[in-house]
Amino acid sequence: MWTVLVGVFLIVCGLLLMVREALGRRRLSGPSRATESGTGPTLEPARQGLGFLGLVRNWPGMALMAIGAVLLLFG
């Protein structure tokens, strides 16, 4: 029973760590100039990209989630 609870706790902590990493790097929105499509100012961040999903920044969260998954499978 305890291994299942610890596994769930590790998965939730890993997920929260990854969310914090993705959201905590820079401002989420701010008025920007006209976009390439010719529309007016938007609140969407310029040049967002998918860099926040990389393994380099998210490996601690993924490791916690993997350990939690192992505990759930074999606990």
Side-chain angles (χ1 to χ4, degrees):
M1 179 65 180
W2 286 103
T3 56
V4 173
L5 291 175
V6 171
V8 169
F9 178 74
L10 288 175
I11 288 177
V12 170
C13 285
L15 183 65
L16 290 175
L17 187 64
M18 290 173 60
V19 166
R20 189 184 120 233
E21 184 66 32
L23 297 178
R25 285 286 176 178
R26 61 192 194 117
R27 289 182 19 193
L28 294 178
S29 64
S32 61
R33 293 185 179 78
T35 60
E36 293 86 23
S37 63
T39 60
T42 66
L43 292 177
E44 183 178 337
R47 299 180 307 277
Q48 174 68 28
L50 294 176
F52 64 92
L53 294 176
L55 183 61
V56 174
R57 291 184 178 171
N58 292 317
W59 73 266
M62 289 182 191
L64 283 175
M65 290 177 68
I67 294 169
V70 168
L71 286 175
L72 284 175
L73 286 174
F74 298 113

Coordinates of all heavy atoms in Angstrom, one line a residue:
M1 N 0.8 -1.2 0.0 CA 0.0 0.0 0.0 C 0.9 1.3 0.0 O 0.6 2.2 -0.7 CB -0.9 0.0 1.2 CG -1.8 1.1 1.3 SD -3.0 1.2 0.0 CE -3.9 2.6 0.3
W2 N 1.9 1.2 0.8 CA 2.8 2.4 0.9 C 3.5 2.6 -0.4 O 3.8 3.8 -0.8 CB 3.8 2.3 2.1 CG 3.1 2.5 3.4 CD1 2.7 1.5 4.3 CD2 2.6 3.8 3.9 NE1 2.1 2.1 5.3 CE2 2.0 3.5 5.2 CE3 2.7 5.1 3.5 CZ2 1.5 4.5 6.0 CZ3 2.2 6.1 4.3 CH2 1.6 5.8 5.5
T3 N 3.9 1.6 -1.1 CA 4.6 1.8 -2.3 C 3.7 2.4 -3.4 O 4.2 3.2 -4.2 CB 5.2 0.4 -2.8 OG1 4.1 -0.5 -3.0 CG2 6.2 -0.1 -1.9
V4 N 2.5 2.1 -3.4 CA 1.5 2.7 -4.3 C 1.4 4.2 -4.0 O 1.4 5.0 -4.9 CB 0.2 2.0 -4.3 CG1 -0.8 2.7 -5.1 CG2 0.3 0.5 -4.8
L5 N 1.2 4.5 -2.8 CA 1.1 5.9 -2.4 C 2.4 6.7 -2.7 O 2.3 7.9 -3.2 CB 0.7 6.1 -0.9 CG -0.6 5.6 -0.5 CD1 -0.8 5.6 1.0 CD2 -1.7 6.4 -1.2
V6 N 3.5 6.1 -2.4 CA 4.8 6.8 -2.8 C 4.9 6.9 -4.3 O 5.4 8.0 -4.8 CB 6.0 6.1 -2.1 CG1 7.3 6.6 -2.7 CG2 5.9 6.1 -0.6
G7 N 4.5 5.9 -5.0 CA 4.6 6.0 -6.5 C 3.7 7.1 -7.0 O 4.1 7.9 -7.9
V8 N 2.5 7.2 -6.5 CA 1.6 8.3 -7.0 C 2.2 9.6 -6.6 O 2.1 10.6 -7.4 CB 0.2 8.1 -6.3 CG1 -0.7 9.3 -6.6 CG2 -0.5 6.9 -6.9
F9 N 2.7 9.7 -5.4 CA 3.3 11.0 -5.0 C 4.5 11.4 -5.9 O 4.6 12.6 -6.3 CB 3.8 10.9 -3.5 CG 4.5 12.1 -3.0 CD1 3.7 13.2 -2.7 CD2 5.8 12.2 -2.8 CE1 4.3 14.4 -2.2 CE2 6.4 13.3 -2.3 CZ 5.7 14.4 -2.0
L10 N 5.3 10.4 -6.3 CA 6.4 10.7 -7.1 C 6.0 11.2 -8.5 O 6.6 12.1 -9.1 CB 7.4 9.6 -7.2 CG 8.2 9.3 -6.0 CD1 9.0 8.0 -6.1 CD2 9.1 10.5 -5.6
I11 N 5.0 10.5 -9.0 CA 4.4 10.9 -10.4 C 3.9 12.3 -10.3 O 4.1 13.1 -11.2 CB 3.4 9.9 -10.8 CG1 4.1 8.6 -11.2 CG2 2.6 10.4 -12.0 CD1 3.2 7.5 -11.6
V12 N 3.1 12.6 -9.3 CA 2.5 14.0 -9.2 C 3.6 15.0 -9.0 O 3.6 16.1 -9.7 CB 1.5 14.0 -8.1 CG1 1.1 15.5 -7.8 CG2 0.3 13.2 -8.4
C13 N 4.6 14.7 -8.2 CA 5.8 15.7 -8.0 C 6.5 15.9 -9.3 O 6.9 17.0 -9.7 CB 6.7 15.2 -6.9 SG 6.0 15.4 -5.3
G14 N 6.7 14.8 -10.1 CA 7.4 14.9 -11.3 C 6.7 15.7 -12.3 O 7.2 16.5 -13.1
L15 N 5.4 15.5 -12.4 CA 4.5 16.3 -13.3 C 4.5 17.8 -12.9 O 4.7 18.7 -13.8 CB 3.1 15.8 -13.2 CG 2.1 16.4 -14.2 CD1 2.5 16.2 -15.6 CD2 0.7 15.9 -13.9
L16 N 4.4 18.1 -11.6 CA 4.5 19.5 -11.1 C 5.8 20.1 -11.4 O 5.9 21.3 -11.8 CB 4.1 19.6 -9.7 CG 2.7 19.3 -9.3 CD1 2.5 19.3 -7.8 CD2 1.8 20.3 -10.0
L17 N 6.9 19.3 -11.3 CA 8.2 19.9 -11.6 C 8.4 20.2 -13.1 O 8.9 21.2 -13.4 CB 9.3 18.8 -11.2 CG 10.7 19.3 -11.3 CD1 11.0 20.4 -10.3 CD2 11.6 18.1 -11.0
M18 N 7.8 19.4 -13.9 CA 7.9 19.6 -15.4 C 7.0 20.9 -15.7 O 7.4 21.7 -16.6 CB 7.4 18.4 -16.1 CG 8.4 17.3 -16.1 SD 7.9 15.7 -16.8 CE 7.6 16.2 -18.5
V19 N 5.9 21.0 -15.1 CA 5.0 22.2 -15.3 C 5.7 23.4 -14.9 O 5.7 24.5 -15.6 CB 3.6 22.0 -14.6 CG1 2.9 23.3 -14.6 CG2 2.8 20.9 -15.3
R20 N 6.3 23.4 -13.7 CA 7.1 24.6 -13.2 C 8.2 24.9 -14.1 O 8.5 26.1 -14.4 CB 7.6 24.3 -11.8 CG 8.2 25.5 -11.2 CD 8.8 25.2 -9.8 NE 10.2 25.6 -9.9 CZ 11.2 24.9 -9.7 NH1 11.1 23.6 -9.2 NH2 12.4 25.3 -9.8
E21 N 8.9 23.9 -14.7 CA 10.0 24.2 -15.6 C 9.5 24.9 -16.9 O 10.1 25.8 -17.4 CB 10.7 22.9 -15.9 CG 11.9 23.1 -16.8 CD 13.0 23.9 -16.1 OE1 13.2 23.8 -14.9 OE2 13.7 24.6 -16.8
A22 N 8.4 24.4 -17.4 CA 7.8 24.9 -18.7 C 7.3 26.3 -18.5 O 7.4 27.2 -19.3 CB 6.7 24.0 -19.2
L23 N 6.7 26.6 -17.3 CA 6.0 27.9 -17.1 C 6.9 28.9 -16.5 O 6.7 30.1 -16.5 CB 4.8 27.8 -16.3 CG 3.6 26.9 -16.9 CD1 2.5 26.8 -16.0 CD2 3.2 27.5 -18.2
G24 N 8.0 28.5 -15.8 CA 8.8 29.4 -15.0 C 9.9 30.0 -15.7 O 10.6 30.9 -15.2
R25 N 10.2 29.7 -17.0 CA 11.4 30.2 -17.7 C 11.2 31.7 -18.1 O 12.2 32.4 -18.1 CB 11.7 29.4 -18.9 CG 12.3 28.1 -18.6 CD 13.7 28.2 -18.2 NE 14.3 27.0 -17.8 CZ 15.5 26.8 -17.4 NH1 16.3 27.9 -17.4 NH2 16.0 25.7 -17.1
R26 N 10.0 32.0 -18.5 CA 9.8 33.4 -19.0 C 8.4 33.8 -18.9 O 7.6 33.0 -18.5 CB 10.3 33.5 -20.5 CG 9.5 32.6 -21.4 CD 10.2 32.5 -22.8 NE 9.3 32.0 -23.7 CZ 8.9 32.6 -24.8 NH1 9.3 33.8 -25.0 NH2 8.1 32.0 -25.6
R27 N 8.1 35.0 -19.3 CA 6.8 35.5 -19.2 C 5.9 34.7 -20.1 O 6.3 34.3 -21.2 CB 6.7 37.0 -19.6 CG 7.4 37.9 -18.6 CD 7.3 39.3 -19.0 NE 6.3 39.7 -20.0 CZ 6.2 40.8 -20.6 NH1 7.1 41.7 -20.4 NH2 5.3 41.0 -21.5
L28 N 4.7 34.5 -19.7 CA 3.7 33.7 -20.4 C 3.1 34.5 -21.6 O 2.9 34.0 -22.7 CB 2.6 33.1 -19.6 CG 3.1 32.1 -18.5 CD1 1.9 31.7 -17.7 CD2 3.7 30.9 -19.2
S29 N 2.8 35.7 -21.4 CA 2.2 36.5 -22.4 C 2.6 38.0 -22.2 O 3.0 38.4 -21.1 CB 0.7 36.4 -22.4 OG 0.2 36.9 -21.2
G30 N 2.5 38.7 -23.2 CA 2.7 40.1 -23.2 C 2.4 40.7 -24.6 O 2.5 40.0 -25.6
P31 N 2.0 41.9 -24.6 CA 1.6 42.5 -26.0 C 2.9 42.4 -26.9 O 3.9 42.8 -26.5 CB 1.2 43.9 -25.7 CG 1.1 44.0 -24.2 CD 1.8 42.9 -23.6
S32 N 2.7 41.9 -28.0 CA 3.7 41.9 -29.0 C 3.3 42.7 -30.3 O 2.1 43.0 -30.4 CB 4.1 40.5 -29.4 OG 3.0 39.8 -30.0
R33 N 4.2 42.9 -31.1 CA 3.9 43.6 -32.4 C 3.1 42.7 -33.3 O 2.8 41.6 -33.0 CB 5.2 44.1 -33.0 CG 5.9 45.1 -32.2 CD 7.1 45.6 -32.9 NE 7.8 46.7 -32.2 CZ 8.6 46.4 -31.2 NH1 8.8 45.2 -30.7 NH2 9.2 47.4 -30.5
A34 N 2.9 43.2 -34.5 CA 2.1 42.5 -35.5 C 2.9 41.2 -35.8 O 4.1 41.1 -35.9 CB 1.9 43.3 -36.7
T35 N 2.1 40.1 -36.0 CA 2.7 38.8 -36.4 C 2.9 38.8 -37.9 O 2.6 39.7 -38.6 CB 1.7 37.7 -35.9 OG1 0.5 37.9 -36.6 CG2 1.5 37.8 -34.4
E36 N 3.5 37.6 -38.3 CA 3.8 37.4 -39.7 C 2.5 37.4 -40.6 O 2.6 37.7 -41.7 CB 4.5 36.1 -39.9 CG 5.9 36.1 -39.3 CD 5.9 35.7 -37.9 OE1 4.9 35.0 -37.4 OE2 6.8 36.1 -37.1
S37 N 1.4 37.0 -40.0 CA 0.2 36.9 -40.7 C -0.5 38.3 -41.0 O -1.5 38.4 -41.7 CB -0.8 36.0 -40.1 OG -1.2 36.5 -38.8
G38 N 0.1 39.3 -40.4 CA -0.5 40.6 -40.6 C -1.6 41.1 -39.7 O -2.2 42.1 -39.8
T39 N -1.8 40.3 -38.7 CA -2.8 40.6 -37.7 C -2.2 41.7 -36.7 O -1.0 41.9 -36.7 CB -3.3 39.4 -36.9 OG1 -2.2 38.8 -36.2 CG2 -4.0 38.4 -37.9
G40 N -3.1 42.2 -35.9 CA -2.6 43.2 -34.9 C -1.9 42.6 -33.7 O -1.5 41.4 -33.7
P41 N -1.7 43.4 -32.7 CA -0.9 42.9 -31.5 C -1.7 41.7 -30.8 O -2.9 41.7 -30.8 CB -0.8 44.1 -30.6 CG -1.7 45.1 -31.2 CD -2.1 44.7 -32.6
T42 N -0.9 40.8 -30.3 CA -1.5 39.6 -29.7 C -0.8 39.4 -28.3 O 0.2 40.0 -28.0 CB -1.3 38.3 -30.5 OG1 0.1 38.0 -30.5 CG2 -1.8 38.4 -31.9
L43 N -1.4 38.6 -27.5 CA -0.8 38.2 -26.2 C 0.1 37.0 -26.3 O 0.6 36.5 -25.3 CB -1.8 38.1 -25.1 CG -2.6 39.4 -24.7 CD1 -3.6 39.1 -23.7 CD2 -1.6 40.4 -24.2
E44 N 0.1 36.3 -27.4 CA 0.9 35.1 -27.6 C 2.4 35.5 -27.6 O 2.8 36.4 -28.2 CB 0.5 34.5 -28.9 CG 1.2 33.2 -29.2 CD 0.8 32.5 -30.5 OE1 -0.3 32.8 -31.0 OE2 1.6 31.8 -31.0
P45 N 3.2 34.7 -26.8 CA 4.6 35.0 -26.8 C 5.3 34.8 -28.1 O 4.9 33.8 -28.9 CB 5.2 34.0 -25.8 CG 4.0 33.4 -25.1 CD 2.8 33.6 -25.9
A46 N 6.2 35.6 -28.5 CA 6.9 35.5 -29.7 C 7.9 34.4 -29.7 O 8.6 34.2 -28.7 CB 7.6 36.9 -30.1
R47 N 8.0 33.7 -30.8 CA 9.0 32.6 -30.9 C 8.9 31.6 -29.7 O 10.0 31.3 -29.1 CB 10.4 33.1 -31.1 CG 10.5 34.0 -32.3 CD 11.9 34.5 -32.5 NE 12.5 35.2 -31.3 CZ 12.2 36.5 -31.0 NH1 11.5 37.2 -31.8 NH2 12.8 37.1 -29.9
Q48 N 7.8 31.1 -29.4 CA 7.6 30.1 -28.3 C 8.4 28.9 -28.5 O 9.2 28.5 -27.7 CB 6.2 29.8 -28.1 CG 5.9 28.8 -27.0 CD 6.2 29.2 -25.6 OE1 6.2 30.4 -25.3 NE2 6.6 28.3 -24.8
G49 N 8.2 28.2 -29.7 CA 9.0 27.0 -30.0 C 8.6 25.9 -29.0 O 7.7 26.0 -28.2
L50 N 9.3 24.7 -29.2 CA 9.1 23.6 -28.3 C 10.3 23.2 -27.5 O 10.4 22.1 -27.0 CB 8.7 22.4 -29.2 CG 7.4 22.5 -30.0 CD1 7.2 21.2 -30.9 CD2 6.2 22.6 -29.0
G51 N 11.1 24.2 -27.2 CA 12.3 24.0 -26.4 C 12.0 23.6 -25.0 O 12.8 23.0 -24.3
F52 N 10.8 24.0 -24.5 CA 10.5 23.7 -23.1 C 10.1 22.3 -22.9 O 10.0 21.8 -21.8 CB 9.3 24.6 -22.6 CG 8.0 24.4 -23.4 CD1 7.1 23.5 -22.9 CD2 7.8 25.1 -24.5 CE1 5.9 23.3 -23.6 CE2 6.6 24.9 -25.2 CZ 5.7 24.0 -24.7
L53 N 10.0 21.5 -24.0 CA 9.7 20.1 -23.9 C 10.9 19.2 -23.9 O 10.8 18.0 -23.9 CB 8.7 19.7 -25.0 CG 7.3 20.3 -25.0 CD1 6.6 19.8 -26.2 CD2 6.6 19.8 -23.7
G54 N 12.1 19.8 -24.0 CA 13.3 19.0 -24.2 C 13.7 18.2 -23.0 O 13.3 18.5 -21.9
L55 N 14.5 17.2 -23.3 CA 14.9 16.3 -22.2 C 15.9 16.9 -21.3 O 16.0 16.6 -20.1 CB 15.6 15.0 -22.8 CG 16.0 13.9 -21.9 CD1 14.8 13.4 -21.1 CD2 16.7 12.8 -22.7
V56 N 16.7 17.9 -21.7 CA 17.7 18.5 -20.9 C 17.1 19.3 -19.7 O 17.6 19.2 -18.6 CB 18.6 19.5 -21.8 CG1 19.5 20.3 -20.9 CG2 19.3 18.7 -22.8
R57 N 16.0 20.0 -20.0 CA 15.3 20.7 -18.9 C 14.4 19.9 -18.1 O 14.1 20.3 -16.9 CB 14.5 21.9 -19.5 CG 15.4 22.9 -20.2 CD 14.6 24.1 -20.6 NE 15.4 25.1 -21.2 CZ 14.9 26.1 -21.9 NH1 13.6 26.2 -22.0 NH2 15.7 27.1 -22.3
N58 N 13.9 18.8 -18.6 CA 12.8 18.1 -17.9 C 13.3 16.7 -17.3 O 12.5 16.0 -16.9 CB 11.7 17.8 -18.8 CG 11.0 19.1 -19.1 OD1 10.7 20.0 -18.3 ND2 10.6 19.3 -20.4
W59 N 14.6 16.4 -17.4 CA 15.0 15.1 -16.9 C 14.7 14.8 -15.4 O 14.4 13.7 -15.1 CB 16.5 14.8 -17.3 CG 17.5 15.6 -16.4 CD1 18.0 16.7 -16.7 CD2 18.0 15.2 -15.2 NE1 18.9 17.1 -15.7 CE2 18.9 16.1 -14.8 CE3 17.8 14.0 -14.4 CZ2 19.6 16.1 -13.6 CZ3 18.5 14.0 -13.2 CH2 19.4 15.0 -12.8
P60 N 14.8 15.8 -14.5 CA 14.4 15.4 -13.1 C 13.0 15.0 -13.0 O 12.7 14.1 -12.3 CB 14.7 16.7 -12.4 CG 15.7 17.5 -13.2 CD 15.3 17.1 -14.6
G61 N 12.1 15.7 -13.6 CA 10.7 15.4 -13.6 C 10.4 14.0 -14.2 O 9.6 13.3 -13.7
M62 N 11.0 13.8 -15.3 CA 10.8 12.5 -16.0 C 11.4 11.3 -15.1 O 10.8 10.3 -15.1 CB 11.5 12.5 -17.4 CG 10.8 13.3 -18.4 SD 11.6 13.2 -19.9 CE 10.8 14.5 -20.9
A63 N 12.5 11.6 -14.5 CA 13.1 10.6 -13.6 C 12.1 10.3 -12.4 O 11.9 9.1 -12.1 CB 14.4 11.0 -13.1
L64 N 11.6 11.3 -11.8 CA 10.6 11.1 -10.7 C 9.4 10.3 -11.2 O 8.9 9.4 -10.5 CB 10.2 12.4 -10.1 CG 11.2 13.1 -9.2 CD1 10.6 14.5 -8.8 CD2 11.4 12.3 -8.0
M65 N 8.9 10.6 -12.4 CA 7.8 9.9 -12.9 C 8.1 8.5 -13.2 O 7.3 7.6 -13.0 CB 7.2 10.7 -14.1 CG 6.6 12.0 -13.8 SD 6.0 12.9 -15.2 CE 4.7 11.9 -15.8
A66 N 9.3 8.2 -13.7 CA 9.7 6.9 -14.1 C 9.8 6.0 -12.8 O 9.4 4.9 -12.7 CB 11.0 6.9 -14.8
I67 N 10.4 6.6 -11.7 CA 10.5 5.9 -10.5 C 9.2 5.6 -9.9 O 8.9 4.5 -9.4 CB 11.4 6.6 -9.5 CG1 12.9 6.7 -10.0 CG2 11.4 6.0 -8.1 CD1 13.8 7.6 -9.3
G68 N 8.3 6.6 -10.0 CA 6.9 6.4 -9.5 C 6.2 5.3 -10.3 O 5.4 4.5 -9.7
A69 N 6.4 5.3 -11.6 CA 5.7 4.3 -12.4 C 6.2 2.9 -12.1 O 5.4 1.9 -12.0 CB 5.9 4.6 -13.9
V70 N 7.5 2.8 -11.8 CA 8.1 1.5 -11.4 C 7.5 1.0 -10.1 O 7.1 -0.1 -9.9 CB 9.6 1.5 -11.3 CG1 10.2 0.3 -10.6 CG2 10.2 1.7 -12.7
L71 N 7.3 2.0 -9.1 CA 6.7 1.6 -7.8 C 5.3 1.2 -8.0 O 4.8 0.3 -7.3 CB 6.9 2.8 -6.9 CG 8.3 3.0 -6.3 CD1 8.2 4.3 -5.4 CD2 8.7 1.8 -5.5
L72 N 4.6 1.9 -8.9 CA 3.2 1.5 -9.1 C 3.0 0.1 -9.8 O 2.1 -0.7 -9.5 CB 2.5 2.5 -10.0 CG 2.1 3.8 -9.3 CD1 1.5 4.8 -10.3 CD2 1.1 3.6 -8.2
L73 N 4.0 -0.2 -10.7 CA 3.9 -1.5 -11.4 C 4.2 -2.6 -10.5 O 3.6 -3.7 -10.6 CB 4.8 -1.5 -12.6 CG 4.3 -0.6 -13.8 CD1 5.4 -0.6 -14.9 CD2 3.1 -1.2 -14.4
F74 N 5.3 -2.5 -9.7 CA 5.7 -3.6 -8.9 C 5.4 -3.5 -7.4 O 5.8 -4.3 -6.6 CB 7.3 -3.7 -9.0 CG 7.7 -4.0 -10.5 CD1 8.4 -3.1 -11.2 CD2 7.3 -5.2 -11.1 CE1 8.7 -3.3 -12.5 CE2 7.7 -5.4 -12.4 CZ 8.4 -4.5 -13.1
G75 N 4.6 -2.5 -7.0 CA 4.3 -2.3 -5.6 C 3.0 -3.0 -5.2 O 2.2 -3.6 -5.7

